């Protein structure tokens, strides 16, 4: 198989599976892992795929939701730095809404040492991480579980969230566009996040650099709701002016 044919084969596999490891590709293509890594580097440089630890995934589009195991490997350093900054905004005694994103999982890990928190979440993974904290009260919101994300969604989830009010809400998104607003790839997840925002005093959006100037499938909210945005790089001048216009505080 010629190099170009092999890369097309890899691309088709990624379109079907969403993600794949270097070792899997090595076996399927019957070629060494170093050659596979070179192929992936070329494909990533061309913008066709996104490299992750130990493999690659197809770039997220408006309608494609990558498995949580794949998303967890994307922009890990950015998520960890965002998590630390978000926790700087949390105070002992706070009640917090946390969604089911992989960034929220990183935030949950940093929250473990807090001694007096109430965290309300629709995420099984977030709840399990926080269970390691001896003095954190966890309120798990039920509903219909999405197997790909281990989050609960649906009408009953939204209704249950609506019964609570929080000091702070920290949500994530798939897209942040100045015209279209803040969006998510899944309409039921978007509704959960919107409800969390509307029932919080301080509303925090955690979004790494990959989310800017991108629009996904379903709107979470307009830019009137967030009070603070936490991101990993300095926004460009257009975004800075936009945040100033909307009275949104930007934390790097």
């Amino acid at each position: 198989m010629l190099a170009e044919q092999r890369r097309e084969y890899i691309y088709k596999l990624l379109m079907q599976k969403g993600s794949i490891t270097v070792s899997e590709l090595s076996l399927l293509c019957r070629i060494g892992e170093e050659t596979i890594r070179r192929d992936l580097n070329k494909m990533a440089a061309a913008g066709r795929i996104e490299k992750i630890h130990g493999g690659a995934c197809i770039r997220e589009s408006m309608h494609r939701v990558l498995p949580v195991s794949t998303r967890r490997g994307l922009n890990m350093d950015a998520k960890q730095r965002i998590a630390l900054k978000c926790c700087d905004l949390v105070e002992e005694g706070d009640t917090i809404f946390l969604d089911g994103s992989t960034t929220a999982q990183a935030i949950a890990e940093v929250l473990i040492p807090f001694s007096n928190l109430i965290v309300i979440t629709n995420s099984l993974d977030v709840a399990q991480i926080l269970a390691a904290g001896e003095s954190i009260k966890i309120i798990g919101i039920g509903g219909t579980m999405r197997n790909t994300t281990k989050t609960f969604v649906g009408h009953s989830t939204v209704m249950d969230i609506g019964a609570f009010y929080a000091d702070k809400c920290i949500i994530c998104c798939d897209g942040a566009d100045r015209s279209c607003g803040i969006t998510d790839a899944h309409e039921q997840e978007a509704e959960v996040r919107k409800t969390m925002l509307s029932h919080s005093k301080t509303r925090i959006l955690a979004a790494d650099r990959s989310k800017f100037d991108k629009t996904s499938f379903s709107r979470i909210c307009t830019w009137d709701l967030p009070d603070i945005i936490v991101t990993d790089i300095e926004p460009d001048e257009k975004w800075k002016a936009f945040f100033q216009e909307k009275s949104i505080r930007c934390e790097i």
Side-chain angles (χ1 to χ4, degrees):
M1 189 184 295
L2 298 174
E4 194 58 42
Q5 292 174 322
R6 186 173 61 250
R7 287 193 282 270
E8 280 303 312
Y9 174 65
I10 291 170
Y11 186 73
K12 288 177 182 177
L13 281 174
L14 282 166
M15 287 296 292
Q16 293 169 4
K17 295 168 66 69
S19 64
I20 198 164
T21 65
V22 169
S23 57
E24 284 179 292
L25 287 171
S26 178
L27 289 171
L28 289 168
C29 297
R30 298 181 181 180
I31 201 163
E33 292 190 4
E34 283 305 312
T35 303
I36 293 295
R37 289 191 183 94
R38 285 194 293 270
D39 284 338
L40 296 180
N41 285 336
K42 287 184 179 180
M43 293 169 74
R48 301 186 72 192
I49 66 166
E50 196 155 353
K51 288 189 69 183
I52 58 174
H53 181 69
C57 67
I58 205 71
R59 285 187 175 276
E60 291 180 88
S61 67
M62 286 178 67
H63 304 284
R64 186 180 184 90
V65 181
L66 297 174
V68 68
S69 57
T70 301
R71 289 188 289 114
R72 194 177 288 120
L74 296 175
N75 300 324
M76 287 178 65
D77 179 63
K79 289 172 184 176
Q80 288 166 354
R81 287 187 286 118
I82 286 170
L84 288 168
K85 177 58 71 173
C86 284
C87 286
D88 286 344
L89 304 173
V90 174
E91 301 173 33
E92 296 284 0
D94 275 347
T95 297
I96 305 166
F97 281 122
L98 266 186
D99 64 19
S101 63
T102 51
T103 301
Q105 292 176 32
I107 293 167
E109 289 173 356
V110 186
L111 287 176
I112 288 172
F114 277 74
S115 60
N116 182 23
L117 285 182
I118 299 174
V119 179
I120 307 165
T121 184
N122 68 317
S123 167
L124 193 58
D125 284 338
V126 168
Q128 287 179 328
I129 291 167
L130 289 169
E134 295 181 0
S135 301
I136 298 177
K137 180 179 179 180
I138 305 161
I139 299 176
I141 301 295
T144 302
M145 191 174 84
R146 295 181 61 211
N147 291 331
T148 55
T149 58
K150 295 182 182 176
T151 54
F152 295 96
V153 297
H155 177 72
S156 61
T157 307
V158 171
M159 293 296 290
D160 285 351
I161 291 169
F164 297 98
Y165 288 90
D167 298 296
K168 297 181 176 77
C169 169
I170 306 174
I171 68 144
C172 304
C173 66
D174 288 322
D177 180 85
R178 290 190 294 274
S179 298
C180 299
I182 301 159
T183 53
D184 193 89
H186 192 276
E187 62 270 30
Q188 289 182 308
E189 295 280 10
E191 191 63 28
V192 165
R193 291 180 168 111
K194 181 179 180 179
T195 308
M196 287 179 171
L197 285 168
S198 62
H199 281 245
S200 302
K201 291 178 183 176
T202 302
R203 297 157 295 196
I204 302 165
L205 173 66
D208 66 61
R209 61 191 176 275
S210 69
K211 308 301 170 62
F212 285 88
D213 298 307
K214 176 182 172 184
T215 302
S216 200
F217 180 59
S218 183
R219 177 185 277 180
I220 298 171
C221 65
T222 64
W223 289 101
D224 296 328
L225 278 184
D227 301 300
I228 303 169
I229 183 164
V230 180
T231 189
D232 59 319
I233 60 167
E234 191 83 20
D236 62 29
E237 293 304 318
K238 288 182 180 178
W239 276 104
K240 284 181 182 178
F242 181 78
F243 291 145
Q244 187 172 10
E245 177 193 337
K246 297 293 182 181
S247 300
I248 296 171
R249 191 169 107 216
C250 184
E251 294 279 350
I252 311 301

